[in-house]
Amino acid sequence: MSTIAFTAGELPDEYEDLRRTVADFTDNVVAPVSESHDTAKTFPYEIVSGMADMGLFGLPFPEEYDGMGGDYFALCLAIEELARVNQSVAITLEAGVSLGAMPVYRFGTEEQKQEWLPMLASGKALAAFGLTEPGAGSDAGGTRTTARLEEGDAGSEWAINGSKAFITNSGTDITRLVTVTAVTGQREGRDGTAKPEISTILVPTSTPGFTAEPAYNKVGWHSSDTHPLSFDNVRVPEANLLGERGRGYANFLRILDEGRIAVGALAVGAAQGCVDESVRYAKEREAFGAPIGSNQAIAFKIARMEARTMTARAAYYTAAAKMLAGKPFKKDAAIAKLVAGEAAMDNARDATQIHGGYGFMNEYLVARQYRDSKILEVGEGTTEVQLMLIARELGL
């Protein structure tokens, strides 16, 4: 696809065609079953299969790996459209590509790419990114999971022990791979003191000793798959090291920077969904003999929701454009994640208020958006972490 270019806010044809296709799929396939999956807390395998058939999981990958030959912005557009109606489905795509397959594409050997990317790009299999630990959330450098090189029957092997927390797409029937960050030794820091050497290692989920523990009982994202993971002397070949040894910390920071743009897109979709539902309801619902949208208090609230959404969309578009142009984008990604996450939460709160008592009923989309949106101020870097990153990029 071509370089992102905007004229009066319009997308180039190839992006607009993709957006419309995903929007149609969202409205006609995802929307009708979203409430039932959310209520039953079931993973939407039939929706994921449909997304796979559309090639969404392969959007940013080259055709040589069975991808669609698109780019990261195309992925973001798809995620945004899905999140209008179902954040669980949107995060399944985001995590499956940005956190699951992208580390292999960015840092894998050609052999690793050939082994894993066609499977993951097809959407017939999912991968997860095992970073967060029970005692190391925002402090990702506090990793306690260890991986030691030991001699095994087939040569040198990594023996992995430890645990991970809040890992998306890690326990589905089609999950085949988890990329794990682990301490593989010690290195000398800039201040001369010993620091943990963190590396990333590919762990097939069929490996003995790997366990996806029972799924979490979450406030929202009920049809997204999220598990704690445990590693009990999990042994994989030395060749499963992903990227250079000791570069795991730096590599996953790059992955998280990219992921913040995609989560920003997801949050924009959620915010837009709240606007759409509120406009529809304000036109249909009557009180005191007139549609409630004729009440300036309601109209102005929705106007602010639209302004938040447009501002957040511009932020993630800007970050994506810089990323694709090869320019520094860390600050822009943090800003996109920050403003979009807050827009989603604020819009969900306002949409629930506009809907009154109906907004408190789970069968209404705005109620689900309200429950789902809070994690957008926490996952892939909290609001406070984004502020820290922005301040740091400003030299503060």
Side-chain angles (χ1 to χ4, degrees), residues 67-326:
M68 298 295 289
D71 56 32
Y72 205 84
F73 183 63
L75 172 67
C76 289
L77 289 175
I79 291 169
E80 179 188 341
E81 286 301 323
L82 292 166
R84 283 190 299 108
V85 166
N86 192 319
Q87 291 189 41
S88 291
V89 169
I91 196 61
T92 298
L93 176 61
E94 191 279 333
V97 178
S98 178
L99 299 179
M102 193 60 72
V104 178
Y105 178 62
R106 294 290 186 214
F107 311 116
T109 63
E110 186 59 31
E111 183 178 359
Q112 290 169 338
K113 292 177 184 179
Q114 293 291 346
E115 179 180 3
W116 291 107
L117 282 182
M119 186 190 315
L120 300 177
S122 74
K124 305 303 182 184
L126 292 174
F129 191 56
L131 169 63
T132 305
E133 297 191 358
S138 296
D139 180 19
T143 298
R144 295 291 178 266
T145 297
T146 62
R148 297 180 56 183
L149 268 181
E150 299 178 357
E151 288 303 314
D153 295 338
S156 294
E157 298 176 328
W158 294 106
I160 305 171
N161 289 278
S163 60
K164 299 292 179 179
F166 315 128
I167 309 304
T168 305
N169 290 350
S170 58
T172 74
D173 293 344
I174 58 174
T175 302
R176 297 291 179 265
L177 178 71
V178 177
T179 299
V180 179
T181 55
V183 177
T184 52
Q186 297 288 320
R187 61 177 177 80
E188 185 176 326
R190 294 179 180 178
D191 59 1
T193 61
K195 304 288 184 182
E197 173 193 81
I198 299 177
S199 305
T200 46
I201 300 171
L202 300 174
V203 178
T205 56
S206 59
T207 308
F210 169 86
T211 303
E213 304 291 350
Y216 292 101
N217 182 14
K218 298 173 293 188
V219 170
W221 284 4
H222 285 165
S223 50
S224 165
D225 178 83
T226 319
H227 296 260
L229 306 178
S230 62
F231 303 85
D232 182 11
N233 198 35
V234 172
R235 306 181 75 89
V236 297
E238 182 179 7
N240 280 31
L241 178 72
L242 181 64
E244 182 182 342
R245 178 170 176 170
R247 291 287 298 171
Y249 189 81
N251 289 349
F252 74 62
L253 287 180
R254 164 67 191 235
I255 292 298
L256 289 179
D257 285 340
E258 296 180 359
R260 286 174 183 133
I261 302 174
V263 172
L266 192 158
V268 168
Q272 185 66 61
C274 289
V275 172
D276 296 344
E277 289 297 302
S278 296
V279 169
R280 180 194 60 76
Y281 187 78
K283 289 179 177 179
E284 295 177 355
R285 174 75 161 130
E286 291 192 359
F288 304 104
I292 64 172
S294 64
N295 185 316
Q296 196 174 74
I298 299 295
F300 280 12
K301 192 181 291 289
I302 296 175
R304 287 191 180 277
M305 293 167 62
E306 175 72 358
R308 291 187 198 115
T309 304
M310 289 188 64
T311 300
R313 182 177 290 113
Y316 101 71
Y317 276 23
T318 297
K322 286 191 175 183
M323 173 189 164
L324 295 183

Side-chain angles (χ1 to χ4, degrees), residues 22-35 38 47 78-91 221 223 265-274 276-277 362-372:
V22 179
D24 182 71
F25 176 81
T26 298
D27 293 335
N28 295 294
V29 178
V30 180
V33 299
S34 290
E35 182 190 344
D38 186 79
I47 294 177
I79 291 169
E80 179 188 341
E81 286 301 323
L82 292 166
R84 283 190 299 108
V85 166
N86 192 319
Q87 291 189 41
S88 291
V89 169
I91 196 61
W221 284 4
S223 50
L266 192 158
V268 168
Q272 185 66 61
C274 289
D276 296 344
E277 289 297 302
N362 279 327
E363 62 264 31
Y364 277 74
L365 174 57
V366 295
R368 188 166 73 247
Q369 294 284 25
Y370 186 77
R371 287 186 285 105
D372 287 350

